């Protein structure tokens, strides 16, 4: 560990979130002068050689990591996933004969559906609200519209800690996924998707850049009446340089992808690591005789956001204070759900999870 990383806390923030130290170190190394540009990535034109190269390399790394087929385009946009809540229906629902179906497994899915309703007819194919969003649905439980414009789901609900272990079976309608908080955390069968979007600041880079992967045939739906920026075609036709792209963000996503390829060994290896680290935490929860109560049902548990409660609010406050003494930071649950949320994205070191587990066991001995 370098001097800098020694002073770093274990950061369990839900997003913007922990980044790999080698990524930050390389960015620092190259910060004042990138390659032979003689200037920072922050200072160079998005049309010039060095950035054109960064963009192409980043794109290729993601294509290789995710095995993105020729049938799909990869874009770097701005506006976060919130803008995608609107851009998806603007482009894929406008003018379509059938509504879009939304599968709701938590807060982000609800927000995505609310935005889509401004744009066109939306049907809720399944809503987990009756059990407080603690699970994903069996495919048989989905009430799907035949010929739906698309079917939207949230692969990992960041607030409730509910993650689909694999894609829901939605027949022939294009499958659209908000993958914001588990993107690059595991391999994805991209060929099964119509569209995937993910803001970078959970697992793939900094805030300000959003990755979109879209099946090319769906571009035919994008109406020329749409505002230029909001039309996927604008970005495809200009290779993500329709306007000035978030250059530094793209550069950092590229470094994260390089780290995944060269240090981690790809997405299958990343998944294994994530499963291992999540299991450590869930084991402590399961062996606590109910002192720690997990939110999600076992089979729906997220590998990325581990959400649990303590017996009361006072203990929860004490827990957060005691955690901070061990450099375990940003563990407070989302205001809508309460409790504790440990976000253990790709870059969370094993040592961070182990330290949290030890602290949890100690804390229970002290207060149970
Ligand atoms: C964080 C998050 C969002 C919102 O992303 P913004 O970049 O803030 O718009 C949407 N969906 C999920 C699943 C998220 O985790």
């Amino acid at each position: 560990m370098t001097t800098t990383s020694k002073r770093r806390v274990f950061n369990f923030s839900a997003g913007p979130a922990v980044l790999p130290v080698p990524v930050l170190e390389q960015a620092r190394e190259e910060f004042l002068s990138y390659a032979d540009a003689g200037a920072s990535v922050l200072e160079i034109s998005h049309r010039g050689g060095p950035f054109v190269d960064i963009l192409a390399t980043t794109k290729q790394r993601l294509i290789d990591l995710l095995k993105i087929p020729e049938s799909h385009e990869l874009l770097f946009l701005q506006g976060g996933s919130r803008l995608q809540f609107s851009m998806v229906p603007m482009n894929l629902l406008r003018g379509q004969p059938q509504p879009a179906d939304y599968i709701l497994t938590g807060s982000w899915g609800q927000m995505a559906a609310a935005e889509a309703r401004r744009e066109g007819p939306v049907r809720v194919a399944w809503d987990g609200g009756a059990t407080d969003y603690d699970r994903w649905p069996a495919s048989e439980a989905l009430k799907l519209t035949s010929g739906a414009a698309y079917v939207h789901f949230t692969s990992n609900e960041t607030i409730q800690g509910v993650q689909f272990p694999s894609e829901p079976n939605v027949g022939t309608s294009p499958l659209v996924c908000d993958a914001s908080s588990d993107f690059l955390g595991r391999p994805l069968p991209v060929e099964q998707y119509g569209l995937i979007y993910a803001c970078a600041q959970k697992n793939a880079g900094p805030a300000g850049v959003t990755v979109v992967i879209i099946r090319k045939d769906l571009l035919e739906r994008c109406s020329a009446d749409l505002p230029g920026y909001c039309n996927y075609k604008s970005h495809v036709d200009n290779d993500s340089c329709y306007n000035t792209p978030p250059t530094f963000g793209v550069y950092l996503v590229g470094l994260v992808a390089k780290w995944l390829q060269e240090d981690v060994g790809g997405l299958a290896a990343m998944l294994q690591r994530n499963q291992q680290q999540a299991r450590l935490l869930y084991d402590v929860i399961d062996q606590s005789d109910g002192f720690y109560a997990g939110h999600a049902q076992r089979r729906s548990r997220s590998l990325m956001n581990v959400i649990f409660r303590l017996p009361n609010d006072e203990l929860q406050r004490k827990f957060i204070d005691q955690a901070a003494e061990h450099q375990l930071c940003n563990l407070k649950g989302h205001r809508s759900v309460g409790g504790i949320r440990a976000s253990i994205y790709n870059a969370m070191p094993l040592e961070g999870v182990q330290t949290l587990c030890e602290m949890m066991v100690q804390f229970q001995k002290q207060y149970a």
Side-chain angles (χ1 to χ4, degrees):
M1 262 199 213
T2 66
T3 354
T4 315
S5 52
K6 258 191 201 147
R7 273 186 273 118
R8 286 168 60 79
V9 298
F10 294 117
N11 176 12
F12 292 90
S13 168
V18 58
L19 285 164
V21 170
V23 166
L24 298 174
E25 283 175 338
Q26 187 174 342
R28 178 179 63 182
E29 196 64 30
E30 299 175 330
F31 189 68
L32 288 183
S33 178
Y34 175 76
D36 50 9
S40 173
V41 175
L42 290 169
E43 303 171 295
I44 57 177
S45 167
H46 59 297
R47 311 267 179 215
F51 183 75
V52 169
D53 206 48
I54 287 171
L55 183 67
T57 307
T58 303
K59 212 169 147 175
Q60 195 56 50
R61 286 189 187 282
L62 292 183
I63 289 171
D64 293 346
L65 273 169
L66 286 159
K67 303 188 171 64
I68 301 176
E70 290 278 337
S71 51
H72 287 62
E73 280 284 348
L74 171 67
L75 303 170
F76 299 102
L77 306 184
Q78 305 186 54
S81 289
R82 288 271 191 172
L83 181 58
Q84 293 312 305
F85 290 176
S86 301
M87 271 177 74
V88 165
M90 278 179 173
N91 284 269
L92 304 186
L93 181 55
R94 264 195 200 185
Q96 292 302 303
Q98 293 294 335
D101 286 343
Y102 277 69
I103 302 170
L104 307 185
T105 50
S107 307
W108 289 113
Q110 284 182 305
M111 288 187 261
E115 286 300 317
R117 276 190 200 101
R118 297 177 199 274
E119 198 51 44
V122 163
R123 277 198 198 140
V124 173
W126 191 82
D127 186 344
T131 58
D132 211 8
Y133 297 111
D134 67 348
R135 68 193 71 181
W136 47 266
S139 287
E140 308 84 73
L142 300 175
K143 292 200 170 62
L144 298 169
T145 307
S146 148
Y150 58 85
V151 183
H152 181 285
F153 78 111
T154 312
S155 52
N156 182 63
E157 279 285 357
T158 323
I159 294 173
Q160 282 80 9
V162 169
Q163 185 180 30
F164 281 84
S166 58
E167 291 65 27
N169 185 356
V170 301
T172 53
S173 305
L175 184 62
V176 173
C177 179
D178 175 357
S180 297
S181 51
D182 63 0
F183 188 64
L184 301 181
R186 58 181 177 185
L188 273 187
V190 175
E191 67 283 353
Q192 291 183 28
Y193 288 86
L195 191 147
I196 300 167
Y197 61 92
C199 53
Q201 72 271 19
K202 314 292 167 72
N203 220 14
V209 54
T210 302
V211 176
V212 171
I213 301 169
I214 182 170
R215 207 174 71 208
K216 288 174 186 167
D217 63 285
L218 292 173
L219 293 166
E220 286 163 25
R221 295 193 193 177
C222 309
S223 158
D225 297 338
L226 289 171
Y229 191 89
C230 294
N231 192 326
Y232 289 121
K233 252 197 200 136
S234 312
H235 301 284
V236 169
D237 292 347
N238 294 281
D239 196 18
S240 295
C241 290
Y242 168 72
N243 71 328
T244 312
T247 49
F248 198 75
V250 170
Y251 160 71
L252 280 180
V253 170
L255 294 185
V256 169
K258 176 170 170 265
W259 172 77
L260 282 166
Q261 288 178 311
E262 295 176 6
D263 293 18
V264 176
L267 296 185
M270 191 70 250
L271 171 62
Q272 253 190 358
R273 213 154 116 169
N274 286 333
Q275 284 170 330
Q276 231 166 21
Q277 298 195 176
R279 191 174 308 124
L280 291 177
L281 270 173
Y282 287 121
D283 279 352
V284 171
I285 292 171
D286 291 341
Q287 287 158 17
S288 73
D289 289 326
F291 184 75
Y292 300 111
H295 178 77
Q297 292 208 319
R298 286 186 192 214
R299 70 182 182 112
S300 301
R301 283 170 165 175
S302 168
L303 301 179
M304 305 270 88
N305 312 95
V306 179
I307 282 109
F308 58 93
R309 283 188 191 78
L310 280 86
N312 60 55
D313 287 350
E314 198 199 327
L315 280 177
Q316 247 146 225
R317 276 194 296 276
K318 281 208 171 98
F319 182 92
I320 287 165
D321 289 348
Q322 201 171 108
E325 288 167 20
H326 294 84
Q327 313 302 318
L328 302 161
C329 297
N330 303 317
L331 282 161
K332 196 167 189 264
H334 189 272
R335 58 193 180 281
S336 64
V337 173
I340 306 293
R341 169 165 58 175
S343 296
I344 48 170
Y345 298 121
N346 285 352
M348 172 56 64
L350 175 62
E351 198 192 343
V353 173
Q354 286 169 335
T355 308
L356 176 58
C357 288
E358 284 158 24
M359 182 255 158
M360 286 171 72
V361 171
Q362 272 314 110
F363 189 88
Q364 183 179 356
K365 275 194 193 136
Q366 195 178 342
Y367 291 103

